[in-house]
Amino acid sequence: MTDTTIFDKILAREIPADIVYEDELLLAFKDIAPKAPVHYLIIPKQRIATLNDANPADQALLGHMMLTAAQLAHKAGIAEDGYRVQMNVNKGGGQVVYHIHLHMFGGRQLDA
Ligand code: AMP
């Protein structure tokens, strides 16, 4: 098991977050440093450090994260205009928090 992260504290409600969605598997909240007018992070309640640590048993969970991103884009009113879903992996991929998360952001024109 890897070290805990700030996202564990958010999951435990030890630090505040602007939560936009929760179910038995996932939590989604607004990124504290948004890169676009809408910028949500979608995290599993189960801690998986990086995508490299996911295994076939996590397939449904990962799919659920993707579909939740689309659902939240619809709710935020940006689905038709378009948005981006991104997962950073390890240092070279720009990952800072080692608890997998999808970034879902949009609400402005994003670079191609
Ligand atoms: P990554 O670089 O993919 O690991 O992304 C981590 C993201 O977590 C960054 O976009 C941060 O702005 C965001 N972040 C860090 N701490 C918090 C927090 N307490 N609440 C919300 N977002 C956070």
Side-chain angles (χ1 to χ4, degrees):
M1 186 58 89
T2 52
D3 294 339
T4 59
T5 72
I6 195 156
F7 290 173
D8 290 288
K9 291 191 167 65
I10 290 174
L11 283 164
R13 307 310 204 259
E14 288 170 12
I15 61 168
D18 197 342
I19 293 169
V20 295
Y21 176 81
E22 181 171 20
D23 65 25
E24 66 280 6
L25 297 173
L26 305 180
L27 190 72
F29 50 90
K30 294 183 181 177
D31 196 295
I32 204 166
K35 291 192 164 59
V38 176
H39 187 170
Y40 299 162
L41 300 175
I42 299 150
I43 74 169
K45 291 185 172 177
Q46 167 198 347
R47 183 151 43 84
I48 300 169
T50 81
L51 186 59
N52 292 337
D53 301 300
N55 60 55
D58 302 316
Q59 189 167 327
L61 177 66
L62 294 168
H64 183 43
M65 290 171 70
M66 291 295 283
L67 293 177
T68 299
Q71 183 189 323
L72 293 177
H74 276 284
K75 268 170 93 174
I78 62 170
E80 289 308 314
D81 270 358
Y83 58 98
R84 183 166 295 164
V85 175
Q86 178 175 312
M87 185 180 287
N88 300 329
V89 182
N90 274 338
K91 188 164 178 285
Q95 185 173 7
V96 173
V97 179
Y98 283 78
H99 180 134
I100 61 166
H101 49 280
L102 277 186
H103 294 259
M104 189 286 282
F105 53 97
R108 67 168 170 82
Q109 180 61 51
L110 301 173
D111 294 340

